[in-house]
Amino acid sequence: MLHHFLGHHSFGETCLHLMWRVLSGLHQEIKISFLLVGHTKFSPDWCFGLFKRLYKRTEITCLDDIAQVAERSAQCNHAQLVGHLDGTSVVPFYDWSTFFDSDRVIKTALKGISQMQHFRFTADKPVEGEIMEAIGC
């Protein structure tokens, strides 16, 4: 469901993070693909739509409220919070924007990213990456 949450700027930071993971030797290759714009026959999208419908009708004041909406929206939706209201986190968080100086990099490196569906970052071309446009689009 990454495509529902990432705008162009946030996705640019994700690309930089994936490149860093390859450069750091954590992976030899990372691939990420998105469905074409307008796809509608995909069960996770249906589940997300059910969540969104209830979310729009519910007063949300904290993360726990969002988790409750997810759990109540449909059997296919399950909430897994990565942090708590008291500030403790279940997983570590990093400020990748500052780490990568991403505003400068993203504005120059990822123009036209919204037209692309497939991305690959490899150990032999980690910084260059491979960004493939959808065929016939």
Side-chain angles (χ1 to χ4, degrees):
M1 300 310 300
L2 187 63
H3 63 286
H4 281 289
F5 294 101
L6 295 178
H8 299 186
H9 181 74
S10 295
F11 183 68
E13 290 173 358
T14 301
C15 285
L16 291 173
H17 176 74
L18 297 176
M19 286 184 230
W20 174 81
R21 293 187 68 84
V22 170
L23 284 169
S24 299
L26 297 171
H27 304 277
Q28 289 295 310
E29 177 180 73
I30 298 174
K31 292 180 184 179
I32 185 169
S33 296
F34 297 98
L35 295 173
L36 297 172
V37 173
H39 63 281
T40 56
K41 307 241 186 287
F42 189 55
S43 60
D45 284 339
W46 173 72
C47 294
F48 183 77
L50 295 172
F51 166 80
K52 194 163 69 170
R53 183 186 314 163
L54 183 57
Y55 176 83
K56 287 180 179 181
R57 299 187 330 245
T58 306
E59 183 178 346
I60 304 291
T61 60
C62 63
L63 284 176
D64 287 335
D65 291 345
I66 294 173
Q68 289 176 9
V69 168
E71 294 294 337
R72 288 190 349 244
S73 62
Q75 285 184 327
C76 59
N77 290 329
H78 301 287
Q80 178 62 56
L81 295 179
V82 297
H84 302 288
L85 290 174
D86 65 5
T88 60
S89 64
V90 178
V91 296
F93 288 87
Y94 302 100
D95 183 1
W96 293 111
S97 300
T98 303
F99 181 78
F100 291 123
D101 188 16
S102 60
D103 286 340
R104 178 183 56 79
V105 174
I106 292 168
K107 287 177 183 170
T108 57
L110 299 172
K111 291 188 185 294
I113 197 169
S114 63
Q115 305 303 314
M116 302 168 193
Q117 280 76 36
H118 308 284
F119 303 85
R120 185 173 78 163
F121 305 94
T122 61
D124 59 333
K125 294 183 182 179
V127 177
E128 192 176 307
E130 182 177 312
I131 302 175
M132 302 164 278
E133 294 188 42
I135 298 171
C137 294

